[in-house]
Amino acid sequence: MASRTLPRPARGIVRSSVALVSTLALATVLTACGSDDGGGSGADDGGSSGGSGVTTIASGTLTVCSDVPYPPFEDFDESSESGFKGFDIDIVQAIADGLELELAVKDSSFDALQSGQALNANQCDLAASAMTITDERKAALDFSDGYYDSEQSLLVPEGSDITSIEDLDGVKVGVQQGTTGKAYAEENASGADIVSFPSDAEMFQAIKAGQVDALLQDLPVNLDHQKAGGFTVVETYSTDEQYGLAMKKGNTALVEAVNEQLAEMREDGTYDEIYNTYFSTE
């Protein structure tokens, strides 16, 4: 087939086409410049929690970090929807329900929680891990209102000669690193050989293996070990401690929302129901 030369467009048509392209380009630039007035920031990948007004790291979900196991506050439970159980877990489940959010729980080291590292890295929205509110921690974290009053305690094997903190001179005492129990032991267990562990699980294994002679930590946790048999709590210490739920520094909206939920739980009886599940003496 012979080739044909197509006619060139008139010069006026070329100018009109260029003008149209220029107009469209200008409109695009003006639209982009004006987008700052109406759109959201695209830097925050979190999702708003419906009517609660808080923003979470995963849309529609309250992500909670906890150092597990630490019964009766937190423990593994494959039969539960979250995969965890315990007093803290039930508390945050009720908070998530009140905020119309799903609950997701992540196991984390206590050091990463109490230092603020996990929250600052956006690994979770909230830390629920039997964490005492202290001035030192408040420098790195924001806390909810206190939700549990705690005491320290001394656990020893049944039949031990240790009957009080005065008997710990030269004795190996297990504590968890980064905790108020460790601080209490350092201040009050004169002459004790204090051995730090990353979690309660390692501490309890150590006393069962005879590697330490006593454990000094939160009373409910030692009472849980006492229930297992072979160990006894010989002394308790009132320290005016309160546990708080920790959040990223400056996350005021979440702190206020969590406090509102805690207050509602106390008013409607939900808190007492959860408390009695784990700590009732009747």
Side-chain angles (χ1 to χ4, degrees), residues 96-222:
D97 291 344
L99 296 176
E100 299 180 354
L101 295 170
E102 296 296 322
L103 176 66
V105 181
K106 293 182 178 180
D107 187 13
S108 176
S109 74
F110 190 77
D111 266 353
L113 299 182
Q114 64 98 22
S115 67
Q117 178 184 344
L119 290 160
N120 289 333
N122 290 328
Q123 295 176 7
C124 43
D125 302 299
L126 183 151
S129 197
M131 190 185 302
T132 299
I133 302 169
T134 67
D135 290 338
E136 182 180 2
R137 288 172 181 162
K138 284 165 71 174
L141 301 163
D142 280 344
F143 280 95
S144 71
D145 294 335
Y147 69 95
Y148 181 83
D149 298 329
S150 184
E151 293 180 299
Q152 295 297 322
S153 64
L154 187 65
L155 181 82
V156 300
E158 289 181 346
S160 172
D161 294 334
I162 300 168
T163 60
S164 77
I165 201 168
E166 303 298 329
D167 300 328
L168 297 182
D169 187 13
V171 171
K172 288 186 176 181
V173 181
V175 298
Q176 185 175 355
Q177 60 193 30
T179 64
T180 51
K182 178 181 178 182
Y184 189 87
E186 291 172 340
E187 293 172 9
N188 298 279
S190 178
D193 181 5
I194 298 173
V195 184
S196 296
F197 295 89
S199 74
D200 170 66
E202 286 89 350
M203 289 169 61
F204 194 45
Q205 287 300 320
I207 195 172
K208 288 196 292 185
Q211 297 169 348
V212 296
D213 304 297
L215 301 182
L216 201 158
Q217 63 175 338
D218 293 345
L219 175 60
V221 183
N222 274 342

